[in-house]
Amino acid sequence: MTSPLPAGEWLADAVLYQIYPQSFADADGDGIGDFAGIEEKLDHLAWLGVNTVWFNPCFDSPFDDAGYDISDYLTVAPRYGSNDDLARVVEAARRRGIRVLLDLVAGHTSDRHPWFAASADDPSDHRYIWAGTTERPEGFVPSPGTRPGFYRPNFFPTQPALNFGYARPDPAEPWRRPVDAEGPRANREALRAIMDHWLALGLSGFRVDMAASLVKDDPGHGETVKLWREVRGWLDTVHPHAALLSEWGDPATAVPAGFHADFFLQFGADDDGLLLRSLWNNFAGTVSEQWEPRVPYFDASGEGSARTFLDGWRAARDTIGDAGFISLPTANHDFSRLACGPRTADQLPAAFAFQLTWPTLPAIYYGDEIGMRYVPDLPEHEGSRLGPRYNRAGSRTPMQWDDSPNAGFSTAPAGALYLPPDPDPDRPTVAAQRADTGSLLHLVRRLIALRRSTPELGPAGGTEILHDGYPLVYVRGGRYLVIVNPRRETAEVAAPADTAAPLEVSGVTVGEGRVRAAGFGYGVFAL
């Protein structure tokens, strides 16, 4: 059973799990995942040990961008079920000690939202950003209604930006309204009303999509920070149990802005997501053309460096202090899975040993616990392609439950599936790994249990880095030694103690003044 602790307290013990609803479990056989399917699989999450899940957007949508184009914030999409079905999932999860967060798209709607339809025919409506000029400003889209002029989208043209104002108004460009103008005020009120609606149904909070993007032309995000601090103040008063997580990619900014936690992401901050990419990104799967190729630390060659991540993590931690948390994901719906390109299954245990013992909130992307891979060469689907080498569909394939047709995801004909399952005949499944105590799934379960039973392995435990090369060696809480060797070759380093009691170990020994880690070895020891 979950308890009504303030969000900052229960998050300290959170192990997050991200569910992409379309691809998790299909109970009604139409080829698309749904709430009933999620409810059927909650025992898997409880067995695994995760205690907090967040769903990608599940609101009504035309799905031009996989649900990140919302046409009704207060109604769930029929493909997933009804509002009552969502409420049942939330209650069923609560009985298993699992909290549920929703993905809140705060910065834009679908162009089929009634708000936008009304605004496109009413020049006095400023809920969106409209330029009533004869010449189209850069990046704006022609009005689809009787209103003359152009509107500003956030991403795809079908995603008109909600108007939260401009930090730097300009009389020469009258669409640059101040943050306290009528339209921005109305949107801030609507944002609170939407959050209030879902929290009243038992939800435990939100992950906010593109949280840094609300106020436009906002150098240093000063006005955006003020907006979110206002929202956080309201939450602390009205819904103190509710967590606010951001898709900002810059915890050192997002947490002081009022979020309880922010993720290291493949974008964000001044380094454009380099911290996360320096760990996992091997330039297979989702690849942005602007990223500078570099070998990640978790690469078999042993040519990467952990220092980029460690230096950035230290800087963010020192800025945040005790005000909130940094979350480290294995992957997400926009980024390659851990199992991608040349990274093989035997490299994944060391990655999880690191992620689940590091002083960040671990976020496991559905299927990563069994080593599902990024599936290359899929067709674009629901806006999945962002560039010539950036197709997000490969990270969104159906969850692999068992060896039945469609990997147990759905009974629908193959052609009706949201996306095809991994065609590899040796693809991992939950059923096979549940039956094998030596599997990645069982290791992840044991590491989660160790973390949840050992406060020193959580975000509050101290962290002393003893060696930042290969292997990575650190001590948590002064009592727990962690060794991780992501390369294929053996690595050795001086040991911090003569003896250490093994808690979860593979290929690592400590003794005679040395730590010896076999290729892809890892170990957690009590000192």
Side-chain angles (χ1 to χ4, degrees), residues 198-442:
W198 292 109
L199 292 172
L201 268 65
L203 276 299
S204 292
F206 303 92
R207 175 267 193 191
V208 180
D209 174 67
M210 294 301 296
S213 70
L214 269 61
V215 177
K216 305 305 183 187
D217 190 14
D218 188 14
H221 302 291
E223 291 295 338
T224 303
V225 165
K226 290 179 184 177
L227 185 157
W228 287 117
R229 283 178 177 167
E230 177 185 302
V231 172
R232 172 65 182 274
W234 168 78
L235 271 181
D236 286 348
T237 300
V238 181
H239 299 286
H241 70 283
L244 199 61
L245 281 61
S246 61
E247 185 195 34
W248 197 303
D250 185 6
T253 301
V255 171
F259 286 92
H260 292 94
D262 182 38
F263 299 85
F264 282 142
L265 296 170
Q266 71 278 7
F267 67 91
D270 294 337
D271 61 13
D272 193 26
L274 181 60
L275 300 188
L276 180 69
R277 291 187 281 111
S278 73
L279 291 178
W280 316 134
N281 184 44
N282 57 14
F283 274 75
T286 53
V287 179
S288 174
E289 301 306 308
Q290 66 193 20
W291 291 343
E292 176 188 353
R294 65 166 64 193
V295 177
Y297 181 68
F298 282 84
D299 187 81
S301 69
E303 296 175 0
S305 172
R307 290 168 191 165
T308 298
F309 174 82
L310 295 175
D311 290 346
W313 166 77
R314 285 190 193 97
R317 177 203 60 187
D318 291 347
T319 298
I320 291 169
D322 296 329
F325 305 97
I326 302 167
S327 182
L328 179 63
T330 58
N332 59 54
H333 61 290
D334 289 333
F335 188 53
S336 304
R337 292 183 177 276
L338 286 179
C340 181
R343 187 174 292 127
T344 54
D346 53 356
Q347 295 175 251
L348 303 181
F352 272 104
F354 169 73
Q355 195 229 12
L356 288 167
T357 60
W358 195 252
T360 43
L361 297 184
I364 299 170
Y365 186 51
Y366 83 97
D368 280 356
E369 71 271 27
I370 58 171
M372 280 179 59
R373 69 174 183 131
Y374 174 91
V375 179
D377 303 322
L378 292 178
E380 190 277 343
H381 187 58
E382 292 189 352
S384 65
R385 185 173 292 280
L386 298 181
R389 293 190 292 164
Y390 207 118
N391 186 0
R392 301 175 290 178
S395 292
R396 300 175 175 183
T397 55
M399 181 68 172
Q400 295 157 199
W401 294 104
D402 55 41
D403 288 331
S404 64
N406 302 326
F409 162 71
S410 173
T411 59
L417 297 180
Y418 177 76
L419 282 169
D422 184 353
D424 188 339
D426 295 324
R427 66 193 177 202
T429 68
V430 171
Q433 293 200 10
R434 278 287 294 263
D436 176 9
T437 57
S439 66
L440 178 65
L441 178 62
H442 274 273

Side-chain angles (χ1 to χ4, degrees), residues 433-477:
Q433 293 200 10
R434 278 287 294 263
D436 176 9
T437 57
S439 66
L440 178 65
L441 178 62
H442 274 273
L443 171 65
V444 172
R445 183 183 190 234
R446 292 194 303 270
L447 286 169
I448 290 173
L450 179 61
R451 179 187 180 93
R452 293 185 60 184
S453 65
T454 310
E456 291 89 342
L457 295 179
T463 305
E464 181 185 4
I465 301 165
L466 304 182
H467 188 252
D468 61 9
Y470 292 94
L472 180 64
V473 182
Y474 51 97
V475 175
R476 298 297 322 278

Side-chain angles (χ1 to χ4, degrees), residues 22-311:
Q22 294 97 315
S23 297
F24 195 63
D26 170 26
D28 63 9
D30 67 352
I32 299 176
D34 45 45
F35 293 135
I38 293 172
E39 185 174 359
E40 290 176 0
K41 302 300 185 181
L42 286 175
D43 284 341
H44 167 68
L45 302 181
W47 176 87
L48 185 61
V50 300
N51 54 13
T52 307
V53 302
W54 68 270
F55 300 161
N56 285 91
C58 52
F59 308 109
D60 207 2
S61 169
F63 291 96
D64 291 328
D65 187 18
Y68 283 90
D69 47 323
I70 293 172
S71 55
D72 184 349
Y73 282 103
L74 303 183
T75 304
V76 303
R79 63 162 54 170
Y80 303 128
S82 66
N83 285 22
D84 288 342
D85 293 326
L86 174 58
R88 277 193 289 274
V89 171
V90 172
E91 173 57 23
R94 186 193 65 81
R95 292 196 301 269
R96 293 165 172 82
I98 300 172
R99 292 177 169 86
V100 178
L101 312 179
L102 294 185
D103 199 321
L104 179 61
V105 183
H108 55 266
T109 68
S110 165
D111 61 355
R112 285 181 250 181
H113 195 293
W115 292 348
F116 186 72
S119 191
D121 289 331
D122 182 0
S124 69
D125 186 310
H126 297 291
R127 188 178 286 276
Y128 298 86
I129 301 171
W130 288 96
T133 57
T134 56
E135 184 175 342
R136 177 163 66 175
E138 183 179 358
F140 280 59
V141 177
S143 171
T146 61
R147 179 179 191 159
F150 309 88
Y151 69 91
R152 176 170 177 165
N154 261 353
F155 301 101
F156 298 132
T158 55
Q159 294 169 305
L162 286 164
N163 186 6
F164 288 93
Y166 280 74
R168 298 190 291 192
D170 183 349
E173 298 179 340
W175 62 86
R176 299 169 65 100
R177 294 177 174 268
V179 295
D180 59 353
E182 179 184 0
R185 289 202 312 271
N187 283 328
R188 289 200 302 271
E189 292 171 5
L191 183 61
R192 290 193 294 270
I194 293 164
M195 297 170 75
D196 191 62
H197 172 85
W198 292 109
L199 292 172
L201 268 65
L203 276 299
S204 292
F206 303 92
R207 175 267 193 191
V208 180
D209 174 67
M210 294 301 296
S213 70
L214 269 61
V215 177
K216 305 305 183 187
D217 190 14
D218 188 14
H221 302 291
E223 291 295 338
T224 303
V225 165
K226 290 179 184 177
L227 185 157
W228 287 117
R229 283 178 177 167
E230 177 185 302
V231 172
R232 172 65 182 274
W234 168 78
L235 271 181
D236 286 348
T237 300
V238 181
H239 299 286
H241 70 283
L244 199 61
L245 281 61
S246 61
E247 185 195 34
W248 197 303
D250 185 6
T253 301
V255 171
F259 286 92
H260 292 94
D262 182 38
F263 299 85
F264 282 142
L265 296 170
Q266 71 278 7
F267 67 91
D270 294 337
D271 61 13
D272 193 26
L274 181 60
L275 300 188
L276 180 69
R277 291 187 281 111
S278 73
L279 291 178
W280 316 134
N281 184 44
N282 57 14
F283 274 75
T286 53
V287 179
S288 174
E289 301 306 308
Q290 66 193 20
W291 291 343
E292 176 188 353
R294 65 166 64 193
V295 177
Y297 181 68
F298 282 84
D299 187 81
S301 69
E303 296 175 0
S305 172
R307 290 168 191 165
T308 298
F309 174 82
L310 295 175
D311 290 346

